[in-house]
Amino acid sequence: MQIENIYIPPHYNYIALFLTLGCNLSCSYCINLNEEGSSRSSVSKKQIKPHEWIEFINKIKLLDENGKEREDIPLTFQGGEPTMYKGFYEVVNGIDSHFKLDLLTNFMFDVDEFISKVNSSKFTRDAKYAAIRVSYHPGQNDIDDLIIKHHKMRDAGFYVGIYSVATPQNLEHIKEIEFKCKNEGIDFRVKEYLGFDGKEWHGTYKYKDAISQKIEKYCECKTTELIVGPNGSVYRCHSDLYENRTPIGSILDSRFKIEDIYRPCYVYGHCNPCDIKVKTNRFQEFGHTSVSIKNIRELKDNEREALNRGNFGI
């Protein structure tokens, strides 16, 4: 495969590389499984090869409005648990050194192996948040184990933080963990819980009815993120990725280019909270939303028929 350079629009906020959607934890509140009826088996299990990731990533060009190189957007490996991808270290070490990398992980990997195989400069940069962001999931991974691993990674030169989601059932426990971590000198942060607890939706959203799962409407949506799935497919949004909807392209296509446009969608009402929550951007400035949505209306008969045939507006 010989692909052309991939130019990231100047206003893009995030590059999300999902090496795998597999995970070694089983959290009931997993954001990947937000849609009612979602399961791990509903997403594509096909994974592209390390050299295909490397060739694509090294063609990415991060330029500002004046055509100058940018360093404010890291490439973020996530999943699932990205370190479960068999070629993880090959990909990381095959990426050109001028790229800055981020890792979203549950820390359920051998940190000694990580330290021995990865130069700390890959995941250390000048930013207001850690390049390696560890998720603490009560009942799934052990905080004492995470603290030990954090200290090892920190002492090896990596910038690591531990994060947890403020799930309603765990609030008191998470407060205790926050106190414990801060006493250990750990950058511990609590993220807003996004989801339905059986009674109400939690989270701060720009488009509140977009996650209701009670409606299906037409809209036009534009992203500020490049979202690439395990099989190399590129998606309009996280919801399309997690629900295995039709992609808008593939990084395996030598002609692939990012189109910075509004795209029609027939499943407004089934958005993923990640896409429509009000959050901080890469500069840690609050008020950002991953997508911009306009022209929301009821589906026309022909659009409803197309949706019933598996056409999601693409």
Side-chain angles (χ1 to χ4, degrees), residues 19 27 30 38 50 52 54 67 74 81 87 137 145 247-248 286 304 306:
L19 299 180
C27 303
C30 179
S38 292
E52 292 172 316
I54 293 168
E81 172 51 44
H137 302 284
D145 179 56
I248 58 174
F286 186 75
R304 174 67 66 182

Side-chain angles (χ1 to χ4, degrees), residues 235-253:
Y235 295 89
R236 296 179 298 188
C237 59
H238 288 86
S239 181
D240 280 1
L241 167 66
Y242 299 148
E243 297 307 313
N244 202 23
R245 299 191 187 113
T246 309
I248 58 174
S250 171
I251 66 171
L252 301 182
D253 181 355

Side-chain angles (χ1 to χ4, degrees), residues 199-216:
K199 297 181 180 179
E200 61 179 329
W201 282 95
H202 294 260
T204 305
Y205 304 104
K206 185 173 182 179
Y207 310 96
K208 293 185 178 180
D209 58 344
I211 56 166
S212 67
Q213 301 185 21
K214 295 180 179 179
I215 58 173
E216 289 169 339

